[in-house]
């Protein structure tokens, strides 16, 4: 896979105006929602950086409400080595699994925990959150969000990506940024979505992240924008199980990239003496790991909805 997207120097974006490095806030001075567009929760997922720098470079300003643009794990991003392009996802902790009060208020320390603690008020202050991600494997883009009706209707209305991964029980392996605090509660009014925009290093992944970010802002009225023509019909999946790798011998029964389907009970992977079997008919695998690491996610098992 050629590296079409590469890091650029983010030092010019370090000094924001919110009192926190790499956070930029624009208040329209008029009532309206506070929308956060967040990039680089994972350090090697460059599409978010492409979209966030686009918003800043183009001088996109909200006509109502407030726009905040943030770059999350810049420290991991800066560790990027083209010879080992997957290593800069995180330095110590996965910045997208530590958004519970237990982690944030806990005694442990790491670059990611420090950054999450810095960004905590930024995430908490937003009504609506778009967290831009990409995938290791070259598969179609998709939304990921907790199964609150407000999230599903916003993602459907925005229209692209057309594929949705809905999480009725959360992620099962930690608290993601989009479920921090009130964002992770049924009664909250705000929408919080992850967009997985394609493969990490493809140019078109960055291009889609820009479009999704602009669509997200337009959906909440912060900018004007012609709506794209109706895209592909939505295809939704419900996350049933997150398999966390238990043993270094973890391996899939055949090479997987994501969106392959398995019959109920069919063997998907072995993990030491354990077997990963499809828990439902037409079980669909998402985000299969390309290099299993004990304690990290091996594969997401989902069921098609509708
Ligand atoms: Zn990610």
């Amino acid at each position: 896979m050629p590296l079409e997207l590469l890091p650029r120097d983010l030092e010019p974006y370090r000094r924001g105006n919110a009192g926190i490095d790499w956070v930029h806030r624009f208040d329209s001075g008029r009532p309206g929602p506070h929308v956060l567009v967040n990039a680089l929760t994972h350090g090697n997922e460059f599409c978010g950086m492409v979209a966030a720098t686009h918003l800043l470079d183009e001088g996109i300003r909200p006509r109502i409400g407030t726009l905040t643009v943030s770059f999350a794990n810049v420290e991991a991003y800066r560790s990027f080595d083209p010879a080992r392009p997957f290593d800069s996802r995180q330095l110590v902790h996965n910045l997208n699994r530590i958004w519970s009060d237990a982690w944030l208020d806990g005694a442990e320390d790491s670059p990611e925990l420090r950054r999450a603690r810095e960004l905590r008020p930024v995430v908490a202050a937003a009504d609506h959150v778009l967290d831009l991600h990409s995938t290791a494997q070259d598969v179609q883009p998709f939304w990921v969000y907790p199964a609150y009706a407000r999230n599903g209707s916003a993602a459907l209305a925005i229209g692209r990506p057309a594929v949705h991964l809905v999480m009725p029980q959360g992620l099962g392996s930690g608290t993601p940024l989009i479920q921090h605090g009130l964002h992770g509660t049924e009664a909250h009014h705000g929408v919080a979505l992850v967009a997985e925009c394609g493969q990490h290093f493809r140019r078109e992944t960055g291009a889609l992240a820009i479009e999704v970010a602009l669509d997200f802002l337009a959906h909440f009225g912060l900018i004007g924008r012609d709506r794209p023509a109706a895209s592909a019909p939505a295809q939704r999946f419900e996350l049933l199980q997150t398999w966390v790798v238990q043993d270094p011998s973890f391996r899939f029964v055949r090479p997987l990239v994501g969106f392959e389907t398995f019959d109920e009970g069919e063997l998907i992977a072995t993990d030491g003496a354990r077997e990963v079997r499809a828990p439902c008919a037409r079980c669909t695998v998402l985000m299969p790991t390309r290099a299993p690491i004990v304690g990290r996610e091996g594969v997401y098992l989902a069921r098609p909805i509708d």
Side-chain angles (χ1 to χ4, degrees):
M1 172 84 44
L3 301 176
E4 297 170 346
L5 283 186
L6 285 168
R8 58 186 272 196
D9 179 19
L10 290 185
E11 208 48 41
Y13 303 90
R14 177 198 278 266
R15 184 178 286 269
N17 55 354
I20 301 163
D21 283 355
W22 290 292
V23 178
H24 299 258
R25 182 163 291 153
F26 307 102
D27 187 340
S28 69
R30 301 177 62 189
H34 182 167
V35 178
L36 169 64
V37 176
N38 180 61
L40 295 177
T41 296
H42 294 131
N44 65 344
E45 300 185 2
F46 301 144
C47 69
M49 175 276 294
V50 171
T53 54
H54 176 87
L55 296 177
L56 298 171
D57 295 348
E58 296 294 313
I60 305 288
R61 296 291 181 269
R63 57 185 188 184
I64 59 167
T66 299
L67 167 63
T68 298
V69 179
S70 56
F71 302 87
N73 201 347
V74 178
E75 209 169 327
Y77 170 85
R78 290 201 293 204
S79 74
F80 184 74
D81 176 354
R84 293 150 64 207
F86 293 96
D87 286 7
S88 56
R89 173 181 178 81
Q90 65 193 66
L91 294 173
V92 177
H93 287 108
N94 182 340
L95 182 52
N96 208 26
R97 300 291 181 274
I98 54 176
W99 288 88
S100 63
D101 291 345
W103 275 109
L104 295 171
D105 294 331
E108 277 198 61
D109 187 38
S110 72
E112 282 82 11
L113 282 164
R114 284 196 290 278
R115 186 59 174 155
R117 286 165 186 150
E118 280 180 359
L119 290 175
R120 187 179 193 171
V122 176
V123 176
D127 293 302
H128 308 297
V129 179
L130 174 64
D131 193 19
L132 291 165
H133 288 251
S134 54
T135 49
Q137 304 284 1
D138 192 8
V139 291
Q140 58 192 310
F142 56 98
W143 298 106
V144 187
Y145 53 84
Y148 306 129
R150 59 185 189 265
N151 288 334
S153 51
L156 267 177
I158 292 168
R160 64 184 159 183
V163 176
H164 301 227
L165 175 59
V166 183
M167 307 185 294
Q169 316 294 334
L171 207 49
S173 53
T175 304
L177 183 149
I178 59 167
Q179 287 191 260
H180 174 60
L182 289 175
H183 299 294
T185 59
E186 182 75 53
H188 188 52
H189 66 280
V191 167
L193 306 173
V194 159
E196 300 279 358
C197 297
Q199 207 278 339
H200 299 329
F201 310 119
R202 287 184 68 116
R203 190 174 291 110
E204 66 190 33
T205 304
L208 180 66
I210 292 175
E211 297 302 321
V212 172
L214 294 173
D215 288 346
F216 194 82
L217 297 181
H219 179 75
F220 295 106
L222 272 68
I223 62 172
R225 179 158 228 244
D226 291 335
R227 307 299 302 156
S231 53
Q235 188 184 7
R236 298 191 306 145
F237 298 89
E238 177 183 82
L239 179 64
L240 295 180
Q241 192 183 350
T242 302
W243 187 277
V244 175
V245 174
Q246 316 270 318
D247 190 277
S249 68
F250 179 98
R251 72 163 64 91
F252 294 110
V253 293
R254 61 174 191 269
L256 300 176
V257 296
F259 292 99
E260 293 89 351
T261 59
F262 289 81
D263 293 331
E264 184 163 9
E266 193 178 351
L267 187 65
I268 298 171
T270 55
D271 189 1
R274 296 175 179 82
E275 291 181 334
V276 184
R277 288 187 179 273
C280 65
R282 291 190 300 141
C283 176
T284 305
V285 300
L286 282 108
M287 295 182 277
T289 179
R290 42 170 299 288
I293 297 176
V294 171
R296 293 198 197 171
E297 291 86 347
V299 64
Y300 297 84
L301 305 178
R303 167 181 86 78
I305 311 176
D306 304 330

